[in-house]
Amino acid sequence: MIKEHENSCLQSHLSHLTADKDTNYSLWRATKNFKRPKNHVPPLRRQEGAWARSDYDKATAFAEHLHKVFTPLTSNDLAKDDVIASYLQSPNLLCFPLKAVKLSEIAGEIKALPKRRLQATIC
């Protein structure tokens, strides 16, 4: 049944092709999509038992599942949880605090650079 439908679609599409510039003179381009294997994604059963058939429903079902699976473990120390939550919500998590540097240290590092490298960085 499916092969007959694909075959009739292919025949219908090929019958409209012409040997002019609009079809790029190529039947290969028209048939390559039909030759590719079709990836069938089956429907998913949601938590409430209904089937998720559309892409949006499937994405929602996955999001609900991942939200359920990756919930943090409960803790008995609420003060520690508050400290961790405030740390995670603070900006610049990946930036480590900079240590104080003296101007003479920077000047020493610049003088230690090779002359060619110094000229390349200035230009």
Side-chain angles (χ1 to χ4, degrees):
M1 177 75 177
I2 293 174
K3 289 287 186 187
E4 292 175 16
H5 176 69
E6 287 179 1
N7 213 6
S8 65
C9 287
L10 178 63
Q11 291 299 326
S12 171
H13 186 71
L14 292 178
S15 67
H16 293 93
L17 292 180
T18 59
D20 59 7
K21 197 172 190 176
D22 293 337
T23 60
N24 201 18
Y25 309 105
S26 174
L27 291 177
W28 177 82
R29 289 179 187 249
T31 58
K32 76 175 183 177
N33 193 26
F34 289 103
K35 288 185 170 187
R36 289 186 184 147
K38 304 289 188 257
N39 293 332
H40 174 69
V41 180
L44 301 173
R45 187 174 299 267
R46 301 181 73 170
Q47 290 178 354
E48 60 270 0
W51 288 100
R53 297 185 192 283
S54 71
D55 289 340
Y56 178 79
D57 290 341
K58 290 176 187 178
T60 304
F62 274 124
E64 291 170 355
H65 172 72
L66 293 175
H67 180 72
K68 180 182 171 186
V69 170
F70 292 107
T71 55
L73 299 174
T74 56
S75 172
N76 295 333
D77 190 0
L78 295 178
K80 195 174 197 178
D81 289 347
D82 290 340
V83 170
I84 292 171
S86 66
Y87 175 75
L88 290 175
Q89 292 173 357
S90 67
N92 299 326
L93 260 181
L94 298 177
C95 296
F96 298 110
L98 297 175
K99 83 174 196 181
V101 180
K102 294 179 183 176
L103 196 54
S104 60
E105 292 175 334
I106 295 174
E109 290 294 325
I110 292 174
K111 288 180 182 176
L113 289 173
K115 297 262 187 221
R116 290 181 301 176
R117 184 178 234 169
L118 182 62
Q119 290 172 354
T121 57
I122 293 174
C123 297

